[in-house]
Amino acid sequence: MGTQVKDVIIKPDAPNTLLLDKHADYIAAYGSKKDDYEYTLSEYLRMSGIYWGLTVMDLMGQLSRMNREEIIEFIKSCQHDCGGISASIGHDPHLLYTLSAVQILSLYDSINVIDVEKVVDYVKGLQQEDGSFAGDKWGEIDTRFSFCAVATLALLGKLDEINMDKAVEFVLSCMNFDGGFGCRPDSESHAGQIYCCTGFLSITGQLHKVNADLLGWWLCERQLPSGGLNGRPEKLPDVCYSWWVLASLKIIGRIHWIDKAKLRSFILACQDEETGGFADRPGDMVDPFHTLFGVAGLSLLGDEQIKPVNPVFCMPEDVLQRVGLQPDLLS
Amino acid sequence: MSSVEEISNPVAENLEEDGVEEENTVEEAEMEYEEPVKGGYIFYRDRKEWADLEPVPQDDGPNPVVKIAYSEKCNKSSDCFGLQKGTKSVQVTCILHESVVFDVCRHYRRVLLQALDKDLREEMKYITAIIEDQPKNYQVWHHRRMVVEWLNDPSEELQFVAEILSQDAKNYHAWQHRQWVMQEYKLWDGELEYVEELLEEDVRNNSAWNQRHFVISHTSGYSDSAILEREVQYTLKQIKKAPHNESAWNYLNGILQDGGLSSYPGLLEQVTELQDTCSSPYLTAFLVDLYEDALETNSSSYDQQETLNKALELCKLLAEEKDTIRREYWNYVSRSLQNTYGSGDPVASSSDPPPPSSSQQPDTEPSDP
């Protein structure tokens, strides 16, 4: 029987050196043309887009090229009366964008420009009876939101404001027979969700509840012959999984189970030499999202041209040191 | 960027895993802009019951409730009206057939639906069309769930999800929705057959294997030995068709975890038999797990020393030949087995996890909370 493996083939002329200056130029210029079609259509996630751009610039030591004052004013205009923060002005608040906003303000050491107490109220208010978190008032439940809730509160130093035991109970109820996690109980294991759950368990000091060997094996099985990582069995590799899989492995102390050299060459091949930036896989269009996770992945692999990145928060380690956060990692 | 859904921070799901490029999707949306939405959808401006309302151009009006920036290219005819505050009754709803803007409008849609006592069947038609157009958006699926709840009618759901899965059998959101419907309304009948159909089409569909586990766990369970045997044989049959199939091996491992691999009657023989014709790293890995289980349970059916040797031999084979990309993992398993069950001195290796201070990260001391 032939072994059909879903994978990509990296062409011999694919980029194989890190083009940091080009990536910095790409991000710095992104969003300067505010009537650009693609930029416009992504307004619904603008806060996250800003977080991606700022974080990757900071990791590359280029944060000063971004417009701090404009961004801080923007965030102030996005906090609603309920305390939650929206993706953009006039949009509705959501836990996802509340976290992004708090991450940005942490980068800029300007947390107090927003009403922190109200943010805490908003996050608390989204916890359900079973310990899960809704994303907003409309009630979608997902372990992503459990992560967003505790990450936000940890950055604000207010972790004790929610029902921690129930929150942990819900996340653990999403652990599957393969050691992975899904978005809700019984959902298929998925690397993005696993990142959220291991990040959650790190922040809440519950990593000992993970079956690290079993999960570590599932995660290192994401590596394909091309060196790239996928998000679940029989899917194509994508550079953003260089973050979610790798960060998860780092959190559970098994990052060395990945073939680092092969992964690095896959990530580098996802660069666009002309425009700068990273795409999901070699030859595709770049965007800020994949650019952040490509660079962050390389940082986790030990590239010394990039600042060390924290695997739980996906923020520069020096920012977390300043905030005083040192989430647990397994060894 | 536009088709990257509801993502944030590191918490993101890029669902364009199968090569559908984000940029292409943006272009497609642009090209399809002036085409009618699929599924016989009728724009609100064309419906006679809304004929007395004046459409308001996009991004206009003194107090737009939903202010969305539009580029020149967007400002074409679309089924969108601006919401006006302060009117006696709600004039319009914001209806855009690009689900990315659905994310922005969804709150108003829902508020209006509840306030207007609108025909929710119409809303179901609407959300059906939107999901068909953009099936990888979290919000549209959650909206559908809300409509189903309000209607308390799941009768179309399994059929609808099956249609979406026929276009992409691994759509994560579709599977979530399906699981919710089945659990909420106890619609378990026929699902195992449906899963088997999907596995006939693609035996490597991990979502379908997960669903199999979901259905059985919530109905008969695996504790009945007849059911367990049925599942073991079914899985081995699929493995014979496609031995290099992570999902099938994961499933086999998963359902036998509680009982133990090494004690399951006839399993070792059946798997060993497959080695000649259906060899794969997964088969070899499964044997390692089986031998490890025999060692752990100190099974009397196995010679401990011989079992250890076999397991170590297979780990070496995987590390050096069959699964070299994961050599670090196989070396770890090998060392663990030797240290736990071997009679010699504990084995260490330079590739053991280094203590944190020697990692490439800066030497950080735990700080006080």
Side-chain angles (χ1 to χ4, degrees):
Chain A
M1 221 49 206
T3 56
Q4 310 159 248
V5 178
K6 238 176 146 166
D7 198 1
V8 299
I9 302 208
I10 300 179
K11 295 190 192 152
D13 61 349
N16 56 13
T17 53
L18 182 54
L19 309 164
L20 277 183
D21 290 338
K22 284 208 115 20
H23 304 317
D25 290 344
Y26 166 71
I27 297 289
Y30 190 89
S32 57
K33 287 177 286 164
K34 298 225 173 350
D35 61 348
D36 179 73
Y37 186 64
E38 178 191 300
Y39 185 81
T40 323
L41 280 187
S42 58
E43 186 180 279
Y44 77 100
L45 52 68
R46 183 66 62 236
M47 194 63 73
S48 296
I50 295 172
Y51 156 76
W52 302 327
L54 292 185
T55 304
V56 73
M57 289 299 264
D58 196 355
L59 288 175
M60 296 190 288
Q62 305 274 323
L63 185 60
S64 55
R65 288 170 73 174
M66 308 302 277
N67 193 330
R68 181 173 188 270
E69 282 64 42
E70 186 183 76
I71 290 167
I72 290 179
E73 282 310 303
F74 173 77
I75 293 177
K76 281 158 77 174
S77 326
C78 289
Q79 184 169 30
H80 290 241
D81 291 340
C82 62
I85 300 174
S86 52
S88 189
I89 298 170
H91 292 218
D92 287 281
H94 196 287
L95 203 42
L96 293 168
Y97 309 117
T98 303
L99 173 59
S100 291
V102 168
Q103 286 172 303
I104 295 165
L105 293 175
S106 299
L107 281 183
Y108 278 143
D109 198 8
S110 301
I111 276 293
N112 292 310
V113 305
I114 51 170
D115 185 334
V116 168
E117 290 304 319
K118 294 234 79 174
V119 171
V120 175
D121 286 342
Y122 178 71
V123 174
K124 276 166 70 169
L126 290 170
Q127 186 166 27
Q128 310 297 300
E129 271 184 42
D130 64 358
S132 66
F133 283 84
D136 65 10
K137 66 185 181 195
W138 296 105
E140 184 193 355
I141 304 296
D142 191 320
T143 47
R144 288 181 299 147
F145 306 144
S146 300
F147 172 80
C148 288
V150 299
T152 302
L153 295 178
L155 287 168
L156 299 176
K158 305 276 188 186
L159 259 183
D160 49 350
E161 299 267 353
I162 52 165
N163 185 334
M164 194 59 76
D165 289 342
K166 284 303 265 183
V168 170
E169 192 186 303
F170 175 75
V171 169
L172 292 177
S173 76
C174 298
M175 195 188 295
N176 294 321
F177 63 83
D178 49 20
F181 295 83
C183 68
R184 289 186 282 277
D186 294 317
S187 299
E188 189 184 356
S189 295
H190 184 289
Q193 310 291 151
I194 288 169
Y195 164 79
C196 294
C197 292
T198 52
F200 171 95
L201 293 168
S202 162
I203 292 170
T204 56
Q206 302 290 316
L207 276 174
H208 53 279
K209 302 260 169 78
V210 169
N211 186 334
D213 281 352
L214 181 61
L215 178 56
W217 180 84
W218 190 94
L219 287 167
C220 77
E221 279 289 327
R222 296 308 106 235
Q223 190 162 33
L224 295 162
S226 64
L229 307 177
N230 62 20
R232 41 183 173 142
E234 286 298 316
K235 299 286 268 173
L236 287 173
D238 183 326
V239 95
C240 64
Y241 292 112
S242 310
W243 175 255
W244 293 322
V245 173
L246 215 58
S248 302
L249 281 168
K250 181 78 183 174
I251 292 169
I252 64 172
R254 278 136 176 86
I255 194 172
H256 54 293
W257 287 357
I258 287 286
D259 184 319
K260 292 185 178 181
K262 293 200 95 171
L263 177 58
R264 181 181 166 85
S265 70
F266 175 85
I267 299 174
L268 293 177
C270 294
Q271 298 173 106
D272 187 316
E273 285 170 319
E274 284 173 29
T275 60
F278 290 71
D280 59 354
R281 53 191 75 97
D284 282 359
M285 293 291 298
V286 303
D287 61 55
F289 173 84
H290 290 97
T291 303
L292 168 60
F293 296 124
V295 170
L298 289 171
S299 171
L300 278 184
L301 289 176
D303 191 303
E304 289 177 347
Q305 296 172 80
I306 307 166
K307 278 197 201 174
V309 68
N310 181 275
V312 172
F313 288 90
C314 193
M315 292 164 65
E317 282 284 10
D318 58 13
V319 173
L320 291 176
Q321 275 172 49
R322 178 179 22 91
V323 175
L325 274 178
Q326 191 82 18
D328 297 338
L329 305 179
L330 292 179
S331 58
Chain B
M1 266 304 240
S2 65
S3 54
V4 177
E5 311 301 355
E6 232 11 69
I7 1 203
S8 163
N9 347 335
V11 182
E13 163 129 27
N14 177 0
L15 299 163
E16 304 301 332
E17 293 167 291
D18 290 330
V20 177
E21 296 156 26
E22 291 163 334
E23 200 57 35
N24 283 350
T25 311
V26 169
E27 284 159 22
E28 273 164 34
E30 200 184 352
M31 284 181 333
E32 284 169 22
Y33 212 92
E34 281 159 324
E35 289 166 18
V37 175
K38 294 180 267 241
Y41 180 76
I42 302 171
F43 291 139
Y44 275 78
R45 61 171 179 266
D46 297 328
R47 301 188 197 192
K48 55 181 193 311
E49 61 268 28
W50 293 78
D52 60 339
L53 294 173
E54 277 298 306
V56 174
Q58 281 166 229
D59 213 4
D60 203 1
N63 292 303
V65 174
V66 179
K67 186 180 182 310
I68 305 167
Y70 280 96
S71 74
E72 253 300 300
K73 291 179 196 170
C74 293
N75 234 330
K76 298 177 184 172
S77 62
S78 73
D79 196 22
C80 175
F81 304 82
L83 274 174
Q84 297 295 323
K85 267 185 180 165
T87 52
K88 280 186 212 161
S89 61
V90 178
Q91 292 288 325
V92 293
T93 49
C94 184
I95 303 156
L96 290 145
H97 62 76
E98 289 168 79
S99 71
V100 64
V101 195
F102 180 90
D103 282 46
V104 178
C105 295
R106 70 189 187 283
H107 300 270
Y108 299 101
R109 263 203 105 70
R110 290 165 189 166
V111 165
L112 289 168
L113 285 169
Q114 289 173 318
L116 289 178
D117 195 26
K118 257 185 84 45
D119 180 2
L120 290 172
R121 304 266 164 214
E122 282 296 315
E123 189 66 10
M124 188 57 90
K125 278 197 208 148
Y126 166 71
I127 198 64
T128 298
I130 293 278
I131 293 176
E132 280 166 359
D133 198 43
Q134 295 277 328
K136 290 183 169 182
N137 174 309
Y138 288 94
Q139 291 293 344
V140 299
W141 284 99
H142 186 67
H143 191 75
R144 187 183 180 95
R145 172 170 157 162
M146 283 170 46
V147 177
V148 169
E149 281 176 328
W150 287 340
L151 281 171
N152 199 29
D153 177 8
S155 59
E156 292 175 17
E157 297 315 289
L158 296 184
Q159 174 66 22
F160 173 71
V161 174
E163 270 164 33
I164 298 293
L165 291 175
S166 69
Q167 292 157 41
D168 173 6
K170 299 178 186 180
N171 182 320
Y172 198 73
H173 307 295
W175 282 110
Q176 300 319 305
H177 187 75
R178 196 174 181 89
Q179 285 191 343
W180 170 74
V181 168
M182 287 172 58
Q183 260 192 300
E184 185 74 10
Y185 298 99
K186 318 264 185 286
L187 299 172
W188 304 102
D189 286 347
E191 188 67 1
L192 210 49
E193 288 78 2
Y194 176 66
V195 164
E196 283 188 24
E197 266 172 47
L198 289 181
L199 289 175
E200 279 300 305
E201 287 166 26
D202 178 7
V203 72
R204 294 190 176 89
N205 183 340
N206 193 64
S207 308
W209 283 101
N210 185 71
Q211 187 74 349
R212 193 175 182 95
H213 190 268
F214 170 71
V215 172
I216 295 175
S217 307
H218 285 271
T219 52
S220 59
Y222 288 92
S223 47
D224 180 335
S225 57
I227 302 227
L228 188 55
E229 177 63 6
R230 179 195 76 199
E231 290 305 299
V232 169
Q233 293 314 319
Y234 175 80
T235 311
L236 289 174
K237 187 168 150 209
Q238 306 316 311
I239 284 170
K240 283 181 195 145
K241 283 191 211 167
H244 197 82
N245 181 355
E246 187 186 342
S247 309
W249 287 105
N250 277 0
Y251 183 76
L252 188 60
N253 212 318
I255 61 177
L256 291 171
Q257 248 167 46
D258 286 344
L261 299 182
S262 63
S263 54
Y264 195 83
L267 183 63
L268 176 59
E269 288 74 18
Q270 288 188 73
V271 173
T272 323
E273 233 174 68
L274 288 177
Q275 262 184 314
D276 300 324
T277 45
C278 304
S279 183
S280 80
Y282 300 117
L283 186 151
T284 316
F286 188 84
L287 283 173
V288 172
D289 282 335
L290 194 152
Y291 292 140
E292 188 170 358
D293 182 66
L295 293 167
E296 199 175 304
T297 55
N298 206 4
S299 168
S300 53
S301 327
Y302 294 79
D303 178 296
Q304 292 289 297
Q305 188 58 52
E306 199 183 304
T307 304
L308 176 62
N309 289 342
K310 279 194 196 154
L312 294 177
E313 202 179 290
L314 292 179
C315 287
K316 188 158 183 263
L317 180 67
L318 287 160
E320 293 177 6
E321 255 180 73
K322 300 286 184 187
D323 198 22
T324 56
I325 206 168
R326 273 167 281 277
R327 73 185 84 78
E328 293 297 329
Y329 173 73
W330 295 117
N331 291 339
Y332 169 82
V333 174
S334 189
R335 284 194 308 276
S336 303
L337 289 172
Q338 278 190 297
N339 288 343
T340 315
Y341 304 108
S343 49
D345 293 326
V347 177
S349 147
S350 58
S351 57
D352 264 327
S357 59
S358 67
S359 74
Q360 304 263 8
Q361 301 292 345
D363 197 356
T364 52
E365 295 299 315
S367 60
D368 293 329

